[in-house]
Amino acid sequence: MPLAQGHARRRYRRNQDLLAKRERMPTIKVPTLKQFKSLTGRSGIGKVFKTKNDLDQIFAALKIHDAAGQGMHDGAIAALRRIRRECIAWLLNHTNQRASHAAVQQLLESSNLRFLAVMEFKHFGEQQSTNAPAPAIKPVPNLPFGRELTGNDVKRVGNSMGQNLANETGPRHWGPNVDNRMRQWYGNYVAAGGTLSIGAWADYILPANAEDDPSGMFLGGTALPNLPSIRERAEGVKYCTPSERAAYKISIQGGKLFDANGTLYDTSGRETHFSKYGWAIFVLGFDNILYSNSHLVNLFHHSSFFASDPVQCAGEICCIGGKVRFLTPKTGHYRSSKANFYRLLSFLSYHEVTLANVLACPAPHQHPNYWLGTEVFAANGDEPTSAPVLTNHPPQLTAPGIPSWPIPPMTI
């Protein structure tokens, strides 16, 4: 099918969906206050025999809705949400043995259906873009540092993001933890007949449902305590532009690391999810520049620096007063190999960082063993055959500070 015909058919289907929604809108009505009072026996002679006034909050919400009308403006939407909240609060506090129980449930259902229909009509077609595949690996550039590896070690220097994290490259850049929850909740919404894109649903339906139904028992199962933050939902993982990436650039002079402001780089006030305080994440880009920042789960990851593009190496670093102290290739996104780690050590050695004063852990995912950087470098980024200096990761800090330095001659 020609591309133009495909676009035309999609536009036609979208217009048909919109027409169907417009025709369906008038059929989804919320009872008026008078009608609901009649259903619950609070009108005419019946109200004389009703001694409980526990429906007053629902009555008040319906009165506001009657004044707002059955339209699609903000006032009508706010009134629908108030009805939902009051109905849910009533149902949570009363058993189904109450005579009014069925009427309140029906009111909740009709107000919820009306709310969803209004939101879907207003926002249908928004943010329909889909996730893009992770960028392919780049060829190895001509690098000025380090010896080239041979045999089984050569492989390709640099890693693309793992395919299990491909969803992060989508329009919202949701981290895995957020993405899994959001897709499960969105699946419930679609299964119930929802038609909005996942982005529009995340903006207009999900937060409203969680706020109106904090327990998650009535409106799709999204309990408010489990809801990702506004920043996590709207922005997701930060993907830097080249100008934004420059703020995290690390330069090396005389073997010491400096941040983008020209200050000696120090991670004592930074943090990563894995190693906690005193550490930062880093990547070595294909521009032969090191970049580093704190790790903010679901907001700033290894993938942030180059917007998910491949890198030569990624991991975690402890640097105190410009001096590198600990290094690991710990990254869930890029899964740096020993060849990648060797490339990083080559880069640091080329820039006169004293690797004899660095403790390096080649396989943090498998073995928390640390050797002198010179030994790991000599082993081409792999674990040396000699005994490790450390057989466990440094004790984690629960507040900003300097991780324990185990070797007296290596003073900070």
Side-chain angles (χ1 to χ4, degrees):
M1 179 190 301
L3 186 61
Q5 287 186 4
H7 288 319
R9 290 197 177 186
R10 282 192 290 273
R11 283 197 300 271
Y12 174 77
R13 285 196 297 269
R14 179 175 181 274
N15 290 336
Q16 291 299 108
D17 286 340
L18 285 172
L19 287 173
K21 287 177 182 293
R22 186 183 290 277
E23 292 174 358
R24 180 169 168 257
M25 288 285 287
T27 68
I28 304 174
K29 295 281 190 181
V30 175
T32 64
L33 174 57
K34 182 178 179 180
Q35 290 169 335
F36 185 72
K37 281 187 173 182
S38 177
L39 287 171
T40 55
R42 264 63 172 192
S43 64
I45 192 66
K47 67 181 178 183
V48 176
F49 302 100
K50 295 292 185 179
T51 58
K52 293 182 179 293
N53 295 318
D54 52 10
L55 293 171
D56 286 350
Q57 294 301 315
I58 296 178
F59 293 162
L62 281 168
K63 185 176 181 180
I64 293 173
H65 183 262
D66 286 352
Q70 302 273 356
M72 295 189 291
H73 54 86
D74 291 345
I77 293 171
L80 287 169
R81 291 189 57 189
R82 179 167 177 176
I83 293 173
R84 296 198 312 175
R85 287 196 297 271
E86 298 301 344
C87 287
I88 288 170
W90 192 92
L91 290 169
L92 287 172
N93 289 304
H94 297 85
T95 66
N96 58 9
Q97 295 177 353
R98 289 290 305 278
S100 302
H101 196 275
V104 174
Q105 278 191 317
Q106 289 173 4
L107 178 60
L108 172 60
E109 182 178 351
S110 62
S111 61
N112 184 50
L113 288 175
R114 177 76 186 181
F115 170 76
L116 292 175
V118 169
M119 301 306 286
E120 290 183 357
F121 185 81
K122 291 185 68 173
H123 303 293
F124 187 79
E126 292 185 18
Q127 306 169 48
Q128 294 283 10
S129 56
T130 56
N131 291 334
I137 191 71
K138 294 181 179 179
V140 179
N142 183 19
L143 302 176
F145 50 83
R147 62 188 185 279
E148 293 297 335
L149 303 182
T150 58
N152 292 332
D153 291 332
V154 64
K155 303 291 183 182
R156 277 198 274 196
V157 175
N159 273 356
S160 295
M161 270 176 46
Q163 289 302 309
N164 62 317
L165 297 165
N167 284 336
E168 190 189 281
T169 64
R172 292 302 176 94
H173 308 313
W174 286 330
N177 178 267
V178 171
D179 187 77
N180 293 338
R181 284 180 288 164
M182 297 291 272
R183 292 186 181 278
Q184 178 182 349
W185 296 330
Y186 180 66
N188 295 338
Y189 163 76
V190 172
T195 58
L196 289 181
S197 70
I198 190 170
W201 162 84
D203 284 343
Y204 305 114
I205 303 296
L206 176 67
N209 284 356
E211 291 166 7
D212 295 350
D213 178 24
S215 67
M217 294 176 62
F218 298 91
L219 302 177
T222 308
L224 188 59
N226 297 328
L227 187 69
S229 69
I230 294 175
R231 187 177 171 191
E232 288 175 330
R233 298 195 310 267
E235 299 178 23
V237 178
K238 174 68 176 177
Y239 273 22
C240 294
T241 64
S243 59
E244 290 171 331
R245 182 168 63 244
Y248 308 108
K249 178 180 177 180
I250 302 296
S251 59
I252 307 178
Q253 300 174 27
K256 291 185 177 181
L257 276 58
F258 294 82
D259 63 21
N261 297 318
T263 304
L264 287 169
Y265 190 52
D266 195 295
T267 61
S268 59
R270 297 184 179 275
E271 181 184 10
T272 73
H273 179 68
F274 182 76
S275 299
K276 306 306 179 188
Y277 285 100
W279 291 72
I281 58 173
F282 74 84
V283 299
L284 176 61
F286 277 89
D287 56 0
N288 295 333
I289 295 175
L290 196 66
Y291 299 88
S292 184
N293 190 28
S294 286
H295 176 208
L296 304 175
V297 176
N298 296 323
L299 296 173
F300 201 102
H301 295 173
H302 284 103
S303 55
S304 296
F305 298 102
F306 281 89
S308 85
D309 272 357
V311 297
Q312 292 191 64
C313 184
E316 297 192 351
I317 183 172
C318 170
C319 184
I320 306 300
K323 297 180 180 179
V324 180
R325 291 311 184 193
F326 293 103
L327 280 174
T328 82
K330 165 67 180 70
T331 165
H333 283 72
Y334 291 104
R335 294 285 177 175
S336 295
S337 66
K338 60 183 180 180
N340 305 145
F341 199 38
Y342 168 77
R343 180 60 64 177
L344 172 73
L345 295 172
S346 298
F347 171 83
L348 295 176
S349 176
Y350 177 81
H351 287 283
E352 301 178 349
V353 172
T354 305
L355 296 182
N357 290 340
V358 175
L359 289 182
C361 177
H365 293 283
Q366 293 84 31
H367 314 118
N369 298 324
Y370 288 76
W371 286 265
L372 296 179
T374 47
E375 294 182 277
V376 178
F377 184 41
N380 294 335
D382 204 351
E383 295 183 338
T385 56
S386 59
V389 175
L390 275 181
T391 56
N392 208 339
H393 295 298
Q396 293 180 337
L397 302 179
T398 57
I402 300 174
S404 176
W405 191 239
I407 307 175
M410 295 186 185
T411 57
I412 293 179

